[in-house]
Amino acid sequence: DPGSSPLTRPEGTRPAPSRLGPYLPIGQLFALGLPLLSLSRVGLGIWHADRLAQAGMNWGAFLLQGLRTDVVQVGLLAAPLLLLAPVLGNRWTWLAWQRLSRAWILLALLLLTYLEAATPGFIAQYDLRPNRLFVEYLKYPREVFSTLWNGHRLELLASIVGCALAVRLFAACLRRWSLGEPTWGLGRTALAFPIVAFALFAGIRST
């Protein structure tokens, strides 16, 4: 039955337990978010290869510096999952945790995809990546949409299609990477919390 919970599935169809337990969604977000941002950065680097050469920055340094920034960005998006995992990642609320964490991951990845899709046009217009100015413009959605539709219609449509395809791909990945059975007890989840929190904080601090 597709609508049954992990606790009521037939034995042969149950996914294998995850070694990360209720913290698996954090790993999922990093496993999907970092490649997305890195691929986008490679594309931008190829587009502006002449600028990299003028700045004297090699590809290794460019990608490593970008990766540190990406870890900070994804880490901030993963912070709510860290706070909720000890509360909802138990056998009583496991199904709710599955649904909530999957929805949050998809929302976070959609945001990242949209920002990366909007980056080339923003760079062409303002010669920099989306920043505070980009966020401030979102306060005026009607004017922004009108400007994009009249001046950047092709880019807008391509971004919408790209975001839709990306969400479908990410949703398929999350269906395969099931949370599995709630095998972790409250004690194990509590003991792992400071370790996961320290690792996530270190990533956000980029240290």
Side-chain angles (χ1 to χ4, degrees), residues 110 113-114 117 156-168 170:
L110 175 61
T113 303
Y114 171 71
L156 177 63
L157 293 175
S159 297
I160 294 174
V161 172
C163 287
L165 293 176
V167 168
R168 292 199 62 176
F170 295 142

Side-chain angles (χ1 to χ4, degrees), residues 9 23 204:
R9 293 188 186 123
Y23 299 105
I204 293 174

Side-chain angles (χ1 to χ4, degrees), residues 1-156:
D1 181 6
S4 62
S5 73
L7 299 178
T8 60
R9 293 188 186 123
E11 185 67 30
T13 62
R14 290 180 182 176
S18 166
R19 293 182 179 179
L20 297 179
Y23 299 105
L24 176 62
I26 297 175
Q28 292 173 337
L29 183 54
F30 273 92
L32 292 172
L34 291 182
L36 167 68
L37 296 174
S38 295
L39 285 174
S40 175
R41 179 165 285 100
V42 169
L44 292 175
I46 295 174
W47 180 26
H48 288 291
D50 54 337
R51 290 194 174 186
L52 290 179
Q54 291 175 3
M57 178 176 289
N58 58 54
W59 273 91
F62 172 68
L63 294 177
L64 180 60
Q65 181 177 341
L67 179 61
R68 294 180 64 181
T69 303
D70 297 341
V71 169
V72 173
Q73 193 171 359
V74 178
L76 290 172
L77 291 172
L81 296 174
L82 172 69
L83 297 177
L84 290 175
V87 179
L88 299 178
N90 56 72
R91 62 191 179 95
W92 298 283
T93 55
W94 190 255
L95 184 58
W97 177 233
Q98 284 184 309
R99 293 174 176 175
L100 179 61
S101 61
R102 185 179 297 128
W104 178 261
I105 292 171
L106 287 176
L107 181 62
L109 293 172
L110 175 61
L111 175 62
L112 293 177
T113 303
Y114 171 71
L115 289 174
E116 295 306 312
T119 294
F122 198 83
I123 290 178
Q125 186 76 20
Y126 299 102
D127 201 31
L128 45 81
R129 288 178 65 93
N131 57 4
R132 184 173 56 85
L133 183 64
F134 179 85
V135 177
E136 289 180 353
Y137 279 165
L138 296 180
K139 297 178 182 178
Y140 312 98
R142 182 177 301 179
E143 292 79 358
V144 170
F145 181 80
S146 177
T147 301
L148 291 175
W149 185 253
N150 293 326
H152 305 278
R153 187 172 304 178
L154 182 61
E155 294 89 335
L156 177 63

